[in-house]
Amino acid sequence: MTVDTRTHPLRLAAAAVQPILLGWASVVILGIFSYTLMADSPALGSTTWQDVAAVSTGWWLTALGGTLHFDGVGISLPPLTITLLTYLASFALLRRHPVKDWIDVLIVCGASGGTAALLGLLAPTGSYVWPAGLGAAAVALLAILTSKNRSDWFAAGIVSSPAGRAIYDGLMLARRGMATALVLAVLALVTSTVLGWSEILKINGYYIVEWHSGLMMWLLQLAYLPTLILWSLAYIIGAGFAVGAGTAFSALGITAAPLPAIPILGALPQPGDASAWLLAIVAVALLIQGIRQARAFPDMVEVFITGLIQIAFTALIGALLAVLAQGSIGPDRLAVVGPEALTMALHGAVVIGVPLVLGMIIGHRSSVAAYRSWMESVGSSLRGLRNGKSSHGGSEPLGGDIHMVSAVANDPLSPDWPDRRVGNASADSAPASPGRGGPPRGAAGGMADEEGGGLADSEPPVHSAGPNGEKQSDRGLDGQDWADVGFYGEAPTPPTPATAQTAAEPGLDRRDDS
């Protein structure tokens, strides 16, 4: 007998409705409380608490994508703190109820969006309600998609395919890159607030208010804190944002105009304070993160494919964040506030996405192997130059002199002797190390002597294949074939038994330096 573990639709609907009702009630209660504290103010005139409740409802709608209209003024800049709290409440409630399929998703999203639309009827006449309903449904859907309790039906068979896995990896990389950029944006906002704190207090001092009114003003500004963080992100990546028509605040340049007397706007940079170096900081941070992420991709082709997908997702996320952080806060010039979506997408792809991909390419294992090979070739060339100077500066020729050969062999920068056999003799019976020229230096007497045999009885050396298929043991550290040319264009001098049995000093064998 199969037991149906589907969550009851009423439970899902209740879990979706509660965050919407909680957010709306909190905003309306705070609005009425503020009205109660200032009820004796002449500025309120004939305003009633019902009017305050309606305006509070309209302002709450802006957090979900709606627009508040009153006295001929439209306000649509979303207070993203309320949006974020609504998402967190939805996430906490929905994760307790498993979502089985798309039917459950429709129930949750429909209940959330329908509740927001019904509450929007309490807003002042002319307010846009239906965008708030769609926004509430989108918040509920995001809570479902990010919940760990959803069943495996979601995207079943897609993520497990190669194409689906590449898309998923690109999305995860874009998310991590954007998270890093947001951390830098928070640091930039904190720094700007600290530097402009005196100006913030100066603007706040223009208002003659009681302590409770000042508290409500700061709570109102805190409601827009995530919005300010997104503005800071647009600033440090060069996309910029506007605070009224004709203004632009960007790290690449600032165009200012008269601003509304809102205290937190005192933290805005002054005209002429361009900071293009902020783009370099963001790019370097993403480059380092890309280097750290490169180890997850075994193939360079996969790096390129996933990197391109990541750039596309980064641009898409940047445009979405710009839409969330733009709107209007008043009439005329103040109807244009926030970053532009297309500009944000372009700068996000270039400043965030591209450095992340470059870091993945630089830090990939194949790139690291190429760096090491290049460094070894450079080191071999330098050692060859030094050996050349030592040979030509000496008073005796290199060939045939046992003492001179021993002196060169003991040089820590000298190349190893090639693994060559002279007649029936070998310089050393030990097999050559893979990828290195010449046999390893053994102890006095050599491996053959330890086994009881002489040099003439030693086994042929084992030749390891190089990257191009040649005998690696017949090549020196600088890649020359020792069978054809000696150290300095002379015929190579084979090691004598005296030198073959000379014990190498500790630390001179540099074959394991890599």
Side-chain angles (χ1 to χ4, degrees):
M1 179 178 179
T2 304
V3 179
D4 187 9
T5 58
R6 179 183 294 276
T7 306
H8 195 279
L10 292 180
R11 290 181 177 271
L12 290 175
V17 168
Q18 290 179 57
I20 303 300
L21 293 177
L22 180 61
W24 168 78
S26 300
V27 171
V28 171
I29 290 174
L30 285 176
I32 295 177
F33 175 72
S34 177
Y35 167 79
T36 303
L37 294 176
M38 298 183 297
D40 56 348
S41 174
L44 293 177
S46 59
T47 304
T48 64
W49 69 268
Q50 291 90 343
D51 298 330
V52 174
V55 173
S56 299
T57 300
W59 182 71
W60 168 77
L61 290 176
T62 63
L64 300 175
T67 302
L68 166 64
H69 277 276
F70 74 102
D71 292 340
V73 177
I75 297 178
S76 61
L77 183 66
L80 293 181
T81 298
I82 299 175
T83 309
L84 182 61
L85 292 177
T86 303
Y87 160 76
L88 294 176
S90 300
F91 179 85
L93 291 172
L94 290 174
R95 69 181 303 179
R96 303 176 184 176
H97 307 288
V99 178
K100 292 296 183 180
D101 50 28
W102 287 104
I103 297 178
D104 291 348
V105 174
L106 291 176
I107 293 174
V108 172
C109 295
S112 180
T115 303
L118 290 176
L119 292 175
L121 298 177
L122 302 176
T125 304
S127 299
Y128 294 154
V129 176
W130 65 268
L134 295 177
V139 170
L141 178 61
L142 182 62
I144 293 174
L145 296 180
T146 55
S147 173
K148 299 295 184 181
N149 285 356
R150 71 168 185 267
S151 302
D152 294 336
W153 61 268
F154 178 77
I158 298 179
V159 177
S160 59
S161 64
R165 189 64 190 178
I167 294 174
Y168 179 81
D169 290 343
L171 177 60
M172 293 300 101
L173 285 174
R175 187 184 69 173
R176 294 174 183 177
M178 190 61 69
T180 301
L182 285 174
V183 171
L184 297 176
V186 171
L187 295 177
L189 178 61
V190 172
T191 303
S192 179
T193 302
V194 171
L195 296 178
W197 186 248
S198 59
E199 187 68 21
I200 293 174
L201 294 180
K202 180 180 178 181
I203 299 174
N204 190 70
Y206 294 157
Y207 299 93
I208 304 175
V209 295
E210 300 292 336
W211 67 269
H212 48 76
S213 299
L215 177 62
M216 297 304 298
M217 176 177 291
W218 284 104
L219 289 177
L220 179 65
Q221 295 177 89
L222 286 176
Y224 290 95
L225 179 60
T227 308
L228 297 176
I229 293 176
L230 296 183
W231 289 6
S232 178
L233 174 64
Y235 180 85
I236 63 174
I237 66 174
F241 62 93
V243 186
T247 63
F249 293 87
S250 168
L252 299 177
I254 297 174
T255 302
L259 301 175
I262 300 176
I264 194 62
L265 296 183
L268 293 176
Q270 300 298 320
D273 294 343
S275 305
W277 50 270
L278 289 174
L279 279 72
I281 292 179
V282 177
V284 170
L286 270 299
L287 189 73
I288 295 174
Q289 185 179 21
I291 294 175
R292 298 187 60 184
Q293 298 292 330
R295 66 187 65 179
F297 299 92
D299 186 36
M300 182 64 79
V301 176
E302 186 178 359
V303 170
F304 279 106
I305 295 176
T306 308
L308 292 177
I309 296 175
Q310 175 267 143
I311 292 176
F313 273 120
T314 300
L316 182 61
I317 294 174
L320 178 60
L321 294 179
V323 171
L324 293 177
Q326 65 181 210
S328 63
I329 57 175
D332 302 330
R333 290 182 53 255
L334 298 182
V336 180
V337 174
E340 295 183 0
L342 292 179
T343 306
M344 190 79 162
L346 177 60
H347 283 258
V350 173
V351 182
I352 299 176
V354 172
L356 186 60
V357 176
L358 292 179
M360 293 169 59
I361 296 174
I362 294 173
H364 193 261
R365 62 192 66 181
S366 60
S367 300
V368 174
Y371 305 151
R372 290 177 177 176
S373 177
W374 178 79
M375 292 177 64
E376 288 178 0
S377 64
V378 172
S380 299
S381 301
L382 295 177
R383 286 193 290 269
L385 291 176
R386 177 169 178 176
N387 291 331
K389 293 179 180 180
S390 300
S391 173
H392 292 290
S395 59
E396 297 181 4
L398 178 64
D401 195 305
I402 297 178
H403 299 289
M404 177 61 70
V405 171
S406 300
V408 174
N410 288 331
D411 190 342
L413 294 180
S414 63
D416 295 337
W417 279 100
D419 186 8
R420 292 179 48 81
R421 296 169 57 85
V422 180
N424 294 326
S426 172
D428 198 325
S429 61
S433 300
R436 296 289 187 180
R441 298 185 179 94
M447 293 290 293
D449 293 343
E450 293 178 1
E451 297 175 0
L455 293 175
D457 298 329
S458 59
E459 294 294 331
V462 179
H463 298 278
S464 58
N468 297 322
E470 75 277 2
K471 293 180 180 180
Q472 189 71 10
S473 59
D474 285 344
R475 299 179 66 84
L477 295 180
D478 57 355
Q480 294 182 348
D481 195 327
W482 294 98
D484 300 327
V485 63
F487 284 131
Y488 315 117
E490 303 171 359
T493 303
T496 63
T499 58
Q501 297 181 8
T502 301
E505 295 183 8
L508 298 185
D509 192 353
R510 303 175 63 85
R511 266 184 294 275
D512 296 332
D513 288 349
S514 59

